[in-house]
Amino acid sequence: MLDNNGNFILQSSHGTILWQSFDYPTDTLLPGMNLTITHKTHALKRLISWRSPQDPSPGNFSSGADPDEFRQRFIWNGSTPYLRGSIWNNNLVIGQYVESIKSTIYYRLLTIDDEVYASFGLPPPSVALVQMKIDYSGKIKTRVWNSNMSKWTDLWSGPNHECNKFGYCGPFGYCDNTQPIVTCKCLDGFEPNNKQDWTASRFSQGCHRMEAITCGQGDGFLNMSTMKIPSQFLYVKNRSLDECIAECTSNCSCTAFTYTNMSIDAINGDETRCLLWTRDLIDMEKLIGQGETLYIRVNGLSDKKRKSIVLKITLPVVSSLLIVICVWLV
């Protein structure tokens, strides 16, 4: 049976599904398909690119969840990370309204029989036909069927710049998408490891701190909004915001943290998402109209020239955590 959603099903005379094409997504994800992103009892699933526009045999690129952390998604070129998606900051993400299809597109995490799946679709009563596809060049695309032209057209595709590729800006560097010319920058309080390379648009060596952290002696957290937060994080389960701040503050190796209350359909019994970083900050971007707030550890009290919002943390000996928000102006 070929279902209306595109699923090709082989079933017994009693209606039991013996095989279905939705379990084998090849290079395309359709609404109604559930992509396995954990591997407790089932194998992880990936979208696999074609080898070329004319050759549908498996190509070099694949897309799916990080095997070690389902909250982040990658595109791989062979076994090498090529592009990393934003980390899930809610179990239901609703995109912006798309005029051409008169609808929004939602992305969702859901649990079925102790396994976590990712899916996407359009809320009713939308009847537009959409798909997500990885092409032979490694681009991931969201496409809509144009009935007037009888072909698929792209709503979005990426990566759009070299700067968007995984780790392009090196440690403690980030890709700034808010400027007319998209390029790499160092975080505030950091400078390029190799200024000559940086000037020549070779950014892979990244940045380093201009001033070493003095843990517990006036350090604070620099607030950077609308960020694609880094890779290689430590997920601390079941923490409130205050507890998440305390986790980072009490660990002198903690370089940054972020916190979100997932709020909808808790996954693995946890509605919170406290993430800490204890190593170099890799693969960050400054985004337009989306992203998260990343708190980066800095020697806050020693730099009074920076126009920033700094979260100053004090841990009293006996009393509970005191949080003071200070706005420093020139």
Side-chain angles (χ1 to χ4, degrees), residues 228-272:
K228 173 186 168 184
I229 57 180
S231 185
Q232 301 176 349
F233 54 84
L234 174 66
Y235 167 48
V236 185
K237 295 182 178 180
N238 294 304
R239 293 292 192 273
S240 67
L241 173 59
D242 286 359
E243 290 168 338
C244 185
I245 295 172
E247 287 280 351
C248 189
T249 306
S250 61
N251 180 355
C252 290
S253 297
C254 183
T255 55
F257 77 91
T258 189
Y259 182 85
T260 298
N261 191 323
M262 305 289 274
S263 72
I264 298 175
D265 297 335
I267 300 292
N268 296 336
D270 187 6
E271 294 182 349
T272 67

Side-chain angles (χ1 to χ4, degrees), residues 36-45 66-71 110-117 235 237 266-270:
T36 313
I37 61 173
T38 57
H39 47 99
K40 295 179 181 178
T41 57
H42 298 86
L44 285 172
K45 292 179 182 175
D66 181 346
D68 300 318
E69 178 48 73
F70 71 85
R71 290 167 183 80
L110 65 158
T111 304
I112 303 174
D113 296 332
D114 205 33
E115 208 75 274
V116 182
Y117 297 83
Y235 167 48
K237 295 182 178 180
I267 300 292
N268 296 336
D270 187 6

Side-chain angles (χ1 to χ4, degrees), residues 143-210:
R143 311 202 300 173
V144 61
W145 179 253
N146 187 321
S147 57
N148 293 328
M149 302 176 65
S150 294
K151 69 174 188 177
W152 293 98
T153 57
D154 295 347
L155 290 176
W156 179 88
S157 67
N160 295 313
H161 305 279
E162 287 288 312
C163 191
N164 301 137
K165 294 179 180 178
F166 181 78
Y168 184 80
C169 297
F172 300 106
Y174 68 96
C175 179
D176 189 352
N177 293 280
T178 65
Q179 301 300 312
I181 299 177
V182 176
T183 190
C184 293
K185 294 183 178 179
C186 291
L187 296 171
D188 284 356
F190 292 74
E191 62 183 1
N193 280 316
N194 187 320
K195 293 182 180 180
Q196 184 176 352
D197 276 3
W198 202 267
T199 303
S201 298
R202 297 190 294 267
F203 304 108
S204 60
Q205 292 189 46
C207 311
H208 65 270
R209 290 185 186 275
M210 290 186 283

